[in-house]
Amino acid sequence: EGVMEPEVLTIQPFHGPPTGGVLVTIHGHNLRSSHGYGNPTAFVGGVTCNETTVIEQDELTCITPPGIGGRLSVRVVLRLMDPEERGLDGKKLPSSLRSKDNTLFSYDEPTVDVVVPEHGRTSGGTLVTVHGSNFGPVEAEGQVVV
C-alpha cells in the first residue's frame, strides 16, 4: 500500500529532430523514487532517454534519443532496488512501476529540398541523391518511393 505508479500528464516540447538530443520536460505525478524504488528512467517510443534528471517530485527532464515516428509514448519507469522489498502491508512490491502509454511526442517529419538529378530514364535505374532534413538517425532504416 502507498506505492503509486508514475503518471505522465504533459511534456514540453512535443516534438524534436530525429537525431535526438532535445531536452524535454516531463510533468506528472509520482515521478520520483520512493518506497524502495530507484531513480526514474524516461523512455520515448520505447527507447531509453540519453539522460533522465529529477527536477522535483512532479517534474523530470529527459534528453531524447535518436528516433523516428509520431505520436510516441513518453513513459517513466521506477525499478525496485531490492527484489525482496515489502510494502507496508507485508506483500512483495512490483519489480517496477510504469506510467501508462500516451501519444505525446513526435519526431519531426522529413522534408525534401532537392532531388538530383531532376530527370532520369523511363526504364528506371537512375541513381538519385535526395537533399533535405529530418531523414532520421543514421541507424534508422528508411525507404524512398518515387
Side-chain angles (χ1 to χ4, degrees):
E1 197 66 40
V3 177
M4 301 190 59
E5 291 183 338
E7 181 181 12
V8 175
L9 298 176
T10 186
I11 65 168
Q12 185 63 34
F14 294 102
H15 67 93
T19 52
V22 172
L23 182 70
V24 171
T25 302
I26 302 169
H27 293 278
H29 299 298
N30 309 311
L31 301 179
R32 199 164 86 181
S33 60
S34 66
H35 301 288
Y37 289 88
N39 288 331
T41 303
F43 296 80
V44 174
V47 180
T48 306
C49 287
N50 294 337
E51 182 179 315
T52 303
T53 305
V54 175
I55 304 302
E56 53 189 56
Q57 178 66 28
D58 294 334
E59 183 178 333
L60 305 175
T61 60
C62 154
I63 297 176
T64 59
I68 56 175
R71 300 177 53 82
L72 301 173
S73 187
V74 176
R75 295 189 92 176
V76 174
V77 175
L78 301 170
R79 288 191 171 76
L80 191 60
M81 293 170 32
D82 177 2
E84 298 304 314
E85 184 82 25
R86 303 219 175 246
L88 298 175
D89 58 3
K91 293 181 181 174
K92 284 186 90 170
L93 295 173
S95 61
S96 64
L97 300 173
R98 302 169 185 271
S99 61
K100 293 183 177 15
D101 282 336
N102 55 59
T103 56
L104 294 175
F105 189 82
S106 294
Y107 287 101
D108 297 334
E109 292 187 11
T111 58
V112 174
D113 298 327
V114 178
V115 177
V116 179
E118 292 182 13
H119 307 284
R121 296 184 301 274
T122 56
S123 60
T126 303
L127 180 64
V128 298
T129 302
V130 180
H131 296 273
S133 59
N134 297 324
F135 291 134
V138 174
E139 61 275 2
E141 291 185 26
Q143 181 179 8
V144 176
V145 179
V146 181

